[in-house]
Amino acid sequence: MEKYHVPQELKSQTKLTSAVPIYVKDVFIISFILGIAYIFRNLVADELTTVYWITAVCTAVILALPSFFNRKRRMYESLFLYLSRDSAVYSSAVKESDSTAEKEKSGRRIRKNRLSIQYNQDYQCFEMDDGANHWYANLMEIVTKDIINAAPDEIDYDIAKITKFNKLEYEPYKIIAMNFPCSTNGQQGYVQRKISRTNNVHFQEFLQDSLKELEWIQKQKTKREFYLMYFSDSLDGIKKLDADMKIAVNKSEILFEDMTFEKKLQVFYRINNPSTIMQGGTEEA
C-alpha cells in the first residue's frame, strides 16, 4: 500500500470578515499605532489636530497593509527589514560598480568594500570581487523529487551519488531555497470564461468556489525551489566542478540542470536583497 504525507496541522490567520480581507493581526497593529498617536496628542497644536489624526489613521492603515515588495509580510515589516539592513552586506547585483566606498562618520573615515558582480559570457558564470578577494560562482537548479512516496532503494541511491561527489570534490558549495509568488491568472481566466458561458445556477456556484480558491492560492501560497551555488578561485575550477557534479549526480536521471542568465540574475539579486520578491520564470502554478 502506498503511503501519503498528510499534514497534521493547518495554520491560518484569523479573518474578521469573509468579504473584506481584514485580519485580527491588522486590527492590533492599527490599534497600537493609534495608541501611540493618542499618547503624543498633547504635543500637537489645536489647529493641526484634525490633520494629525488623519495622518495617524492613514499611516496606521498603510503600515498594516500587505507589502508591495515582499509577499506575506506587512508594510511595517518590510520597512523594518529595509532600515535594519547592513549596507556592507546587502548590495544590488550590478555588472559595474566601484569596488570600495568611503563614508565619513563621527569624524572618522570608514572604508567599506562593495561587492562587484560581473557575468562571464564565455564560461557562463559570475565573477565577484569585493576589493580584497576575487572568486567565481555559478548556479544550478535542483530538480526536486517526491521522497515521501519514493522507494527506499531510490533514496539510498541518491544519497550514495551525493556522497560520492563530496568525496571526489573539495570546492565549496551551498544549497539555497527560495519561495516564488504563485500565480493562478491563467486558471482564473479559464474559470471566469466558464462562468460567463453557463446558465446552470448550481454549476456557477461550483465555479465561483473554484475561483475563490484560486484567488486564495495566488494570495497566500508560494512555490519553493532549490538551487546549488558553487564557488572556485579560477574559471577552470568552476567548469571542472560543473562537469564533475553532473557526471557524479546526473546518473539515470537529471537532478541538477542548468539555468538561464535571467534566472541566475534573479537569484543573485534576491540573495543580496532579501526584502524583494522574484518575478517571472517559474511563477506559474
Side-chain angles (χ1 to χ4, degrees):
M1 180 182 294
E2 295 184 352
K3 296 182 180 179
Y4 297 92
H5 180 67
V6 180
Q8 300 298 323
E9 183 179 3
L10 295 176
K11 295 182 179 180
S12 61
Q13 300 184 50
T14 304
K15 185 184 293 187
L16 295 180
T17 61
S18 58
V20 182
I22 300 178
Y23 299 90
V24 174
K25 181 180 179 181
D26 300 333
V27 176
F28 280 116
I29 295 171
I30 295 174
S31 301
F32 176 75
I33 297 175
L34 293 180
I36 295 177
Y38 180 79
I39 294 174
F40 293 99
R41 71 189 187 284
N42 294 328
L43 302 178
V44 182
D46 295 338
E47 296 81 3
L48 300 176
T49 302
T50 303
V51 178
Y52 173 75
W53 280 112
I54 292 176
T55 304
V57 172
C58 293
T59 303
V61 173
I62 291 174
L63 291 177
L65 289 175
S67 174
F68 301 106
F69 310 101
N70 194 351
R71 189 168 293 184
K72 290 190 175 181
R73 290 197 181 272
R74 300 295 192 268
M75 286 296 295
Y76 77 92
E77 293 175 313
S78 289
L79 183 62
F80 173 78
L81 289 174
Y82 177 78
L83 295 177
S84 62
R85 79 192 192 285
D86 188 348
S87 59
V89 176
Y90 302 130
S91 58
S92 299
V94 295
K95 293 186 177 180
E96 296 182 1
S97 62
D98 296 333
S99 60
T100 60
E102 296 183 353
K103 184 177 180 181
E104 193 168 324
K105 182 179 181 182
S106 302
R108 296 180 300 172
R109 296 178 68 84
I110 301 176
R111 186 181 182 90
K112 290 185 178 180
N113 292 333
R114 184 178 180 184
L115 180 63
S116 174
I117 302 177
Q118 297 182 349
Y119 190 73
N120 190 307
Q121 295 288 349
D122 296 331
Y123 285 80
Q124 297 184 351
C125 66
F126 289 93
E127 298 183 28
M128 295 187 284
D129 193 323
D130 62 358
N133 301 292
H134 188 86
W135 68 98
Y136 302 88
N138 203 3
L139 285 165
M140 280 197 294
E141 186 168 352
I142 300 176
V143 181
T144 56
K145 301 177 60 177
D146 181 11
I147 62 174
I148 301 299
N149 299 313
D153 294 340
E154 295 181 4
I155 299 176
D156 293 339
Y157 180 59
D158 292 336
I159 294 175
K161 290 192 293 184
I162 297 295
T163 303
K164 178 182 178 181
F165 168 74
N166 290 332
K167 290 182 178 180
L168 296 176
E169 189 59 59
Y170 299 98
E171 295 287 355
Y173 71 87
K174 63 180 179 179
I175 296 176
I176 301 172
M178 287 190 177
N179 291 333
F180 283 85
C182 186
S183 175
T184 59
N185 292 328
Q187 295 91 326
Q188 291 183 42
Y190 172 78
V191 174
Q192 289 173 350
R193 288 194 299 271
K194 297 291 288 186
I195 293 175
S196 61
R197 295 176 182 177
T198 182
N199 296 323
N200 190 319
V201 178
H202 300 289
F203 189 41
Q204 284 183 347
E205 293 178 355
F206 171 77
L207 293 174
Q208 289 290 350
D209 292 338
S210 300
L211 183 61
K212 291 180 180 179
E213 181 180 356
L214 291 172
E215 292 173 350
W216 183 90
I217 291 175
Q218 177 168 303
K219 188 175 182 180
Q220 303 293 337
K221 304 292 289 185
T222 56
K223 292 178 62 179
R224 175 166 293 183
E225 292 188 357
F226 298 88
Y227 311 97
L228 189 76
M229 178 182 285
Y230 45 101
F231 310 87
S232 180
D233 295 331
S234 64
L235 287 171
D236 293 335
I238 204 75
K239 294 305 293 183
K240 178 179 181 299
L241 180 60
D242 181 273
D244 292 346
M245 195 177 302
K246 293 178 180 178
I247 293 174
V249 179
N250 285 0
K251 291 184 177 180
S252 71
E253 59 181 337
I254 297 178
L255 296 181
F256 296 151
E257 62 181 9
D258 295 324
M259 299 167 57
T260 62
F261 166 71
E262 291 76 13
K263 186 69 174 292
K264 291 180 182 179
L265 188 61
Q266 281 190 344
V267 174
F268 263 88
Y269 185 84
R270 176 65 185 274
I271 293 173
N272 291 275
N273 301 270
S275 187
T276 59
I277 61 175
M278 298 179 68
Q279 300 291 343
T282 58
E283 63 179 6
E284 292 296 331

